[in-house]
mmCIF file of all heavy atoms in Angstrom:
data_model
loop_
_atom_site.group_PDB
_atom_site.id
_atom_site.type_symbol
_atom_site.label_atom_id
_atom_site.label_comp_id
_atom_site.label_asym_id
_atom_site.label_seq_id
_atom_site.Cartn_x
_atom_site.Cartn_y
_atom_site.Cartn_z
ATOM 1 N N ARG A 490 -9.311 40.267 92.745
ATOM 2 C CA ARG A 490 -8.280 40.882 93.420
ATOM 3 C C ARG A 490 -8.735 42.109 94.250
ATOM 4 O O ARG A 490 -7.851 42.799 94.961
ATOM 5 C CB ARG A 490 -7.395 41.456 92.247
ATOM 6 C CG ARG A 490 -6.049 42.069 92.677
ATOM 7 C CD ARG A 490 -5.313 42.338 91.400
ATOM 8 N NE ARG A 490 -4.008 42.999 91.534
ATOM 9 C CZ ARG A 490 -3.720 44.402 91.159
ATOM 10 N NH1 ARG A 490 -4.700 45.151 90.928
ATOM 11 N NH2 ARG A 490 -2.459 44.759 91.327
ATOM 12 N N HIS A 518 0.016 54.867 84.170
ATOM 13 C CA HIS A 518 -1.056 54.418 84.649
ATOM 14 C C HIS A 518 -0.978 53.028 85.290
ATOM 15 O O HIS A 518 -1.555 52.605 86.228
ATOM 16 C CB HIS A 518 -2.161 54.325 83.524
ATOM 17 C CG HIS A 518 -2.738 55.751 83.192
ATOM 18 N ND1 HIS A 518 -3.328 55.936 82.048
ATOM 19 C CD2 HIS A 518 -2.746 56.901 83.856
ATOM 20 C CE1 HIS A 518 -3.686 57.283 81.961
ATOM 21 N NE2 HIS A 518 -3.297 57.815 83.181
ATOM 22 N N ARG A 523 -1.173 48.193 89.043
ATOM 23 C CA ARG A 523 -0.514 47.086 89.571
ATOM 24 C C ARG A 523 -0.283 47.269 91.106
ATOM 25 O O ARG A 523 -0.396 46.302 91.800
ATOM 26 C CB ARG A 523 0.801 46.930 88.842
ATOM 27 C CG ARG A 523 0.831 46.397 87.405
ATOM 28 C CD ARG A 523 2.222 45.866 87.054
ATOM 29 N NE ARG A 523 2.460 45.813 85.581
ATOM 30 C CZ ARG A 523 1.886 44.886 84.765
ATOM 31 N NH1 ARG A 523 1.088 43.890 85.274
ATOM 32 N NH2 ARG A 523 2.259 44.872 83.402
ATOM 33 N N ASN A 559 -13.392 49.504 101.839
ATOM 34 C CA ASN A 559 -12.442 48.785 101.027
ATOM 35 C C ASN A 559 -11.088 49.509 100.689
ATOM 36 O O ASN A 559 -10.338 48.986 99.830
ATOM 37 C CB ASN A 559 -13.157 48.537 99.595
ATOM 38 C CG ASN A 559 -14.436 47.696 99.664
ATOM 39 O OD1 ASN A 559 -14.296 46.483 99.784
ATOM 40 N ND2 ASN A 559 -15.464 48.445 99.726
ATOM 41 N N TYR B 837 0.029 49.747 75.600
ATOM 42 C CA TYR B 837 -0.721 50.398 76.799
ATOM 43 C C TYR B 837 -1.918 49.416 77.173
ATOM 44 O O TYR B 837 -2.050 49.052 78.271
ATOM 45 C CB TYR B 837 -1.204 51.754 76.394
ATOM 46 C CG TYR B 837 -2.005 52.442 77.472
ATOM 47 C CD1 TYR B 837 -1.456 53.313 78.413
ATOM 48 C CD2 TYR B 837 -3.465 52.243 77.568
ATOM 49 C CE1 TYR B 837 -2.197 53.946 79.394
ATOM 50 C CE2 TYR B 837 -4.151 52.858 78.466
ATOM 51 C CZ TYR B 837 -3.594 53.724 79.452
ATOM 52 O OH TYR B 837 -4.347 54.298 80.447
ATOM 53 N N TYR B 850 -11.485 48.928 82.863
ATOM 54 C CA TYR B 850 -12.671 49.434 82.191
ATOM 55 C C TYR B 850 -12.219 50.225 80.920
ATOM 56 O O TYR B 850 -12.194 51.487 80.985
ATOM 57 C CB TYR B 850 -13.672 50.283 83.015
ATOM 58 C CG TYR B 850 -14.958 50.510 82.384
ATOM 59 C CD1 TYR B 850 -15.823 49.426 81.924
ATOM 60 C CD2 TYR B 850 -15.392 51.814 82.129
ATOM 61 C CE1 TYR B 850 -17.057 49.834 81.357
ATOM 62 C CE2 TYR B 850 -16.674 52.138 81.597
ATOM 63 C CZ TYR B 850 -17.441 51.096 81.295
ATOM 64 O OH TYR B 850 -18.790 51.349 80.749
ATOM 65 N N TYR B 942 -13.691 38.631 104.269
ATOM 66 C CA TYR B 942 -13.135 39.794 103.539
ATOM 67 C C TYR B 942 -12.869 41.028 104.480
ATOM 68 O O TYR B 942 -11.858 41.603 104.353
ATOM 69 C CB TYR B 942 -14.114 40.154 102.397
ATOM 70 C CG TYR B 942 -13.781 41.324 101.509
ATOM 71 C CD1 TYR B 942 -12.818 41.247 100.500
ATOM 72 C CD2 TYR B 942 -14.268 42.566 101.808
ATOM 73 C CE1 TYR B 942 -12.460 42.147 99.736
ATOM 74 C CE2 TYR B 942 -13.833 43.545 101.081
ATOM 75 C CZ TYR B 942 -13.048 43.535 100.000
ATOM 76 O OH TYR B 942 -12.663 44.604 99.226
ATOM 77 N N GLN B 956 0.249 39.679 92.926
ATOM 78 C CA GLN B 956 -0.914 40.045 92.378
ATOM 79 C C GLN B 956 -0.747 41.223 91.291
ATOM 80 O O GLN B 956 -1.549 41.971 90.912
ATOM 81 C CB GLN B 956 -1.802 40.806 93.460
ATOM 82 C CG GLN B 956 -2.322 39.830 94.533
ATOM 83 C CD GLN B 956 -3.456 38.993 94.010
ATOM 84 O OE1 GLN B 956 -4.064 39.267 92.933
ATOM 85 N NE2 GLN B 956 -3.673 37.785 94.620
ATOM 86 N N ARG B 957 0.657 41.333 90.877
ATOM 87 C CA ARG B 957 0.877 42.488 89.950
ATOM 88 C C ARG B 957 0.805 42.235 88.514
ATOM 89 O O ARG B 957 0.411 43.020 87.733
ATOM 90 C CB ARG B 957 2.472 43.020 90.255
ATOM 91 C CG ARG B 957 2.421 43.615 91.698
ATOM 92 C CD ARG B 957 3.940 44.203 91.836
ATOM 93 N NE ARG B 957 3.933 45.005 93.068
ATOM 94 C CZ ARG B 957 4.373 44.606 94.360
ATOM 95 N NH1 ARG B 957 4.804 43.301 94.392
ATOM 96 N NH2 ARG B 957 4.493 45.322 95.328
#
Side-chain angles (χ1 to χ4, degrees):
Chain A
R490 189 174 180 254
H518 290 159
R523 290 199 201 281
N559 299 281
Chain B
Y837 177 94
Y850 191 62
Y942 180 82
Q956 297 284 342
R957 293 184 170 96

